[in-house]
Amino acid sequence: MKYSVFFIFLLALVLISTLSISQSTKAVIAEIRKEINQINSGKTYKKLTLRDDQISKSVPDGGVRLTCYRMGNNIRKIVSWIGLSTGNRIFEYYYENNKLIFVYEQMDSFVYDTSKQAFRLDTTERTFEGRYYFKGDRLIDYKTTGHNRFEDDEIDPQKTLLSESDENRKLFLRRGH
C-alpha cells in the first residue's frame, strides 16, 4: 500500500511538470507570434536588399535576394529568396533585440507538365512549409508540412537555422548596415 501511494504521487508529479512545461512553451510561442505580428505591421523600417554576387559567388539558376529590415541598430527581419531550378525557396528570419526568435521556411516547387515533359516555370505549388520557434538560441518548437531537409536525422535544425541566420546577419553587418 505504501509503495502504491508513492507511485501515484510520483506519477502525478511527472504529469503536472509535463503540463507545466507544455503550457509555458505555448505561452512563449504566443508571445513570439505577437512579436512577429508587430514586426510585420511595422512601416518605418530601413530596408536594404542584396542580390546575387553581393551574397555569394555561386548563384543558383533563378538568383538570390536577401532583404534586411532594420529599426535603428536592430535587425527585425531578414527575408531570403532563392530561385532554384526546381522552384523558389523563401526563408523569413525574425529577431527581437537582435536574437533569432522565429524562422518561417517555404518551398514553392514548379509544377511538372506531363504532356510537355517539362516543368512549368510560370506555375508553382507549395510543397513545404516550416515554422521554427526559438528562445535564447534554443529551438523550443517547430511544425512542418511536406518533405524537408531536416528529415535526415544527422542535420540539426537548431544548429542549421541559427548558423544560416548568423551568416545572413553578418552579410549586412559587414556592409555597415
Side-chain angles (χ1 to χ4, degrees):
M1 179 78 171
K2 197 179 210 181
Y3 290 112
S4 63
V5 171
F6 177 73
F7 179 73
I8 291 171
F9 173 75
L10 194 58
L11 183 62
L13 188 62
V14 168
L15 288 173
I16 289 169
S17 66
T18 302
L19 286 173
S20 165
I21 290 169
S22 175
Q23 287 175 341
S24 68
T25 299
K26 286 181 181 180
V28 171
I29 290 171
E31 286 298 315
I32 291 171
R33 286 182 178 150
K34 187 176 171 183
E35 185 68 19
I36 291 166
N37 287 335
Q38 187 176 357
I39 291 168
N40 283 335
S41 65
K43 306 252 188 269
T44 60
Y45 295 120
K46 179 180 178 188
K47 180 179 164 185
L48 176 67
T49 300
L50 302 175
R51 297 179 190 279
D52 299 333
D53 62 346
Q54 294 176 304
I55 300 168
S56 174
K57 293 194 185 334
S58 59
V59 177
D61 302 347
V64 291
R65 185 174 59 239
L66 200 58
T67 304
C68 177
Y69 299 84
R70 293 180 66 138
M71 183 170 282
N73 290 329
N74 289 320
I75 293 176
R76 300 296 281 148
K77 180 178 175 180
I78 294 176
V79 177
S80 170
W81 181 91
I82 305 165
L84 303 170
S85 57
T86 57
N88 303 312
R89 175 161 273 151
I90 298 166
F91 296 88
E92 296 178 1
Y93 302 89
Y94 291 82
Y95 302 89
E96 182 175 40
N97 299 321
N98 287 318
K99 285 292 222 183
L100 184 66
I101 58 169
F102 179 73
V103 177
Y104 173 76
E105 176 184 6
Q106 78 182 47
M107 178 65 189
D108 294 330
S109 298
F110 294 122
V111 174
Y112 189 76
D113 186 335
T114 52
S115 65
K116 295 182 180 177
Q117 294 189 331
F119 285 103
R120 292 193 51 198
L121 302 180
D122 62 342
T123 307
T124 61
E125 67 182 0
R126 179 88 22 96
T127 53
F128 176 74
E129 207 168 29
R131 290 171 173 79
Y132 308 89
Y133 298 88
F134 287 83
K135 175 141 178 96
D137 289 336
R138 206 175 115 249
L139 181 64
I140 59 168
D141 195 23
Y142 67 94
K143 294 176 182 19
T144 61
T145 56
H147 293 290
N148 69 77
R149 60 193 170 142
F150 301 127
E151 289 174 2
D152 179 347
D153 289 339
E154 293 192 18
I155 302 173
D156 180 353
Q158 174 179 299
K159 186 177 177 182
T160 301
L161 292 168
L162 286 169
S163 174
E164 290 170 352
S165 166
D166 203 40
E167 287 174 30
N168 290 336
R169 287 181 69 243
K170 286 178 182 174
L171 279 170
F172 289 105
L173 294 174
R174 272 187 240 134
R175 287 172 167 68
H177 299 287

